[in-house]
Amino acid sequence: MKNKLMLLSCVAAVGAMTMSAGAQDAAPVRIGVLTDVSGQFSHEAGEGSITAVKMAVEDFGGKVLDRPLEVVVADHQNKPEVAVSTAREWYESQGVTMINNLINSGIALAVTQVAKDEDRIAIVNGSGSSRLTNDGCTPNSIHYSYDTYALANGTANQLILQGMKNWFFLTADYAFGHALEADATQIVKDNDGEVSGSVRYPIETSDHSAFMLQAQASPAQVVAMAGSGTTFINAVKSAAEFGLAASGKTVAGLLVWDTDVHSLGLETAQGMILTNAFYWDRDDATRAFSKRFEERVGRPPHMGDAGDYSSTMHYLKAVEAAGTTDAQKVMAKMRETPINDFFAKNGKIREDGRMVHDMYVYQVKTPAESTGEWDILKLVTTISGDDAFRPLSESQCPLVKN
């Protein structure tokens, strides 16, 4: 699959036999899923993101504006140059009108600029850097599921409320890790907290001993892990081996996917505080979608999967309402239409491209509290969307009129 475009499915099969000749002759509307299929972030995207977008297209009916819908997929291999060339080819010659997922913040920042240049649409669900709606915002992109500001805001504020004001950061050395650390540092300091130190480690590292010794020697109450995917999982395992929690320090995950907790196991992850946009067992609507998704993927959806589905459905509804795939007309319709589904209630897309919705602070259950393989989180508190995300008054996005 690497660096090759794959026409994953012509999901207009349902009802294809009854389509008019005019509809059959119409050019398809193509949605691209540009994701990590086989690399270190594939468990947070990959098959899940592809399935979620396909489900949305199928549930929409397989066509829009009397044109068949198709989904194309590519593995960006976590290489910005591969992602940029793929996105440009999709937009210019493959008829792709919207690209979704875009896990890996460096890739998301690059591809959203391509969308702007080509006047197409990019929706980010996999990546979290808050730069995407701050200095890196564009009129053609939407940051949908979560961002580093909201994650740090929820987790840092909750721990500070518990009196844990001295922090140390173990940060994966890439764009997303840097953004997590920067946003969490600002929130800690805004709450009269202190950062005792930080260390950045290569995302490929397998030996965290030197970094753990620095964290252990610090006076910090909280050791915050700023990273994602395999990078995060390996760091948490190292923290457990070095006994950071046993020494009295609280290990905090600034981005923790459900798949991370499952991979770590409750024995290792129990008690961890985290912030999330979606949990499969939140209510009847999340459970209904999750059951359908799990039947296809073999696990419940996490916030990236849920966001991929919700944002694709919101995009298709906007295309239908606008009567066109013209990027600016569709973007305008998406901004003016509230989002009410299993993912978000009264969600709204701001002028900076941020989709604002409630966020949730969870704690990882103990093994004794869990009743099943994926019964892993318990709700601590809900944060309203307006409180969760960076206020527009602090925005550096040139689209925002302060």
Side-chain angles (χ1 to χ4, degrees), residues 53-71:
V53 171
K54 286 183 65 179
M55 287 176 65
V57 167
E58 291 167 6
D59 289 348
F60 195 77
K63 62 180 180 178
V64 66
L65 306 180
D66 285 327
R67 296 165 61 186
L69 283 165
E70 295 179 353
V71 178

Side-chain angles (χ1 to χ4, degrees), residues 290-328:
S290 299
K291 180 180 179 182
R292 295 174 55 218
F293 182 92
E294 187 169 7
E295 287 171 353
R296 298 174 67 151
V297 179
R299 62 162 174 80
H302 51 53
M303 63 179 171
D305 305 320
D308 284 323
Y309 178 100
S310 175
S311 59
T312 299
M313 186 65 76
H314 188 60
Y315 167 77
L316 291 172
K317 289 178 179 178
V319 169
E320 185 173 64
T324 178
T325 59
D326 176 84
Q328 294 312 313

Side-chain angles (χ1 to χ4, degrees), residues 47-307:
E47 181 188 6
S49 62
I50 297 163
T51 300
V53 171
K54 286 183 65 179
M55 287 176 65
V57 167
E58 291 167 6
D59 289 348
F60 195 77
K63 62 180 180 178
V64 66
L65 306 180
D66 285 327
R67 296 165 61 186
L69 283 165
E70 295 179 353
V71 178
V72 296
V73 175
D75 185 347
H76 59 48
Q77 305 170 54
N78 292 302
K79 297 177 181 179
E81 66 275 14
V82 171
V84 166
S85 64
T86 299
R88 205 171 292 282
E89 181 180 352
W90 274 357
Y91 287 143
E92 291 181 352
S93 62
Q94 299 296 321
V96 170
T97 58
M98 185 269 279
I99 295 176
N100 210 329
N101 190 253
L102 295 171
I103 198 163
N104 184 317
S105 289
I107 281 167
L109 287 161
V111 171
T112 53
Q113 293 300 317
V114 176
K116 176 184 176 183
D117 294 343
E118 300 290 341
D119 197 24
R120 297 293 188 270
I121 292 174
I123 302 179
V124 181
N125 280 292
S127 305
S129 174
S130 61
R131 287 190 57 205
L132 285 158
T133 54
N134 204 29
D135 62 304
C137 73
T138 84
N140 293 70
S141 55
I142 297 168
H143 203 181
Y144 202 86
S145 288
Y146 73 99
D147 66 23
T148 52
Y149 184 95
L151 296 179
N153 191 15
T155 301
N157 275 313
Q158 184 61 37
L159 291 172
I160 288 168
L161 279 174
Q162 297 177 23
M164 301 180 195
K165 291 193 170 186
N166 196 323
W167 287 53
F168 185 96
F169 289 92
L170 280 168
T171 302
D173 194 9
Y174 67 125
F176 177 73
H178 302 170
L180 268 178
E181 180 184 341
D183 285 334
T185 296
Q186 188 61 52
I187 290 165
V188 169
K189 291 181 176 179
D190 286 348
N191 285 277
D192 299 320
E194 177 184 357
V195 176
S196 292
S198 66
V199 61
R200 292 180 175 177
Y201 60 89
I203 61 174
E204 303 86 3
T205 190
S206 57
D207 182 4
H208 297 81
S209 56
F211 313 121
M212 292 300 165
L213 288 171
Q214 292 182 57
Q216 203 166 42
S218 79
Q221 298 160 289
V222 177
V223 177
M225 304 292 188
S228 179
T230 306
T231 298
F232 168 78
I233 291 170
N234 289 340
V236 174
K237 287 179 178 178
S238 294
E241 291 168 3
F242 271 78
L244 286 189
S247 70
K249 298 187 186 299
T250 295
V251 176
L254 294 181
L255 171 59
V256 186
W257 300 91
D258 297 358
T259 46
D260 296 338
V261 176
H262 185 262
S263 178
L264 287 164
L266 297 186
E267 282 288 350
T268 299
Q270 62 182 305
M272 186 181 293
I273 296 290
L274 59 98
T275 302
N276 213 319
F278 172 88
Y279 182 50
W280 71 269
D281 199 22
R282 191 175 73 216
D283 55 37
D284 288 344
T286 62
R287 285 187 285 272
F289 171 75
S290 299
K291 180 180 179 182
R292 295 174 55 218
F293 182 92
E294 187 169 7
E295 287 171 353
R296 298 174 67 151
V297 179
R299 62 162 174 80
H302 51 53
M303 63 179 171
D305 305 320

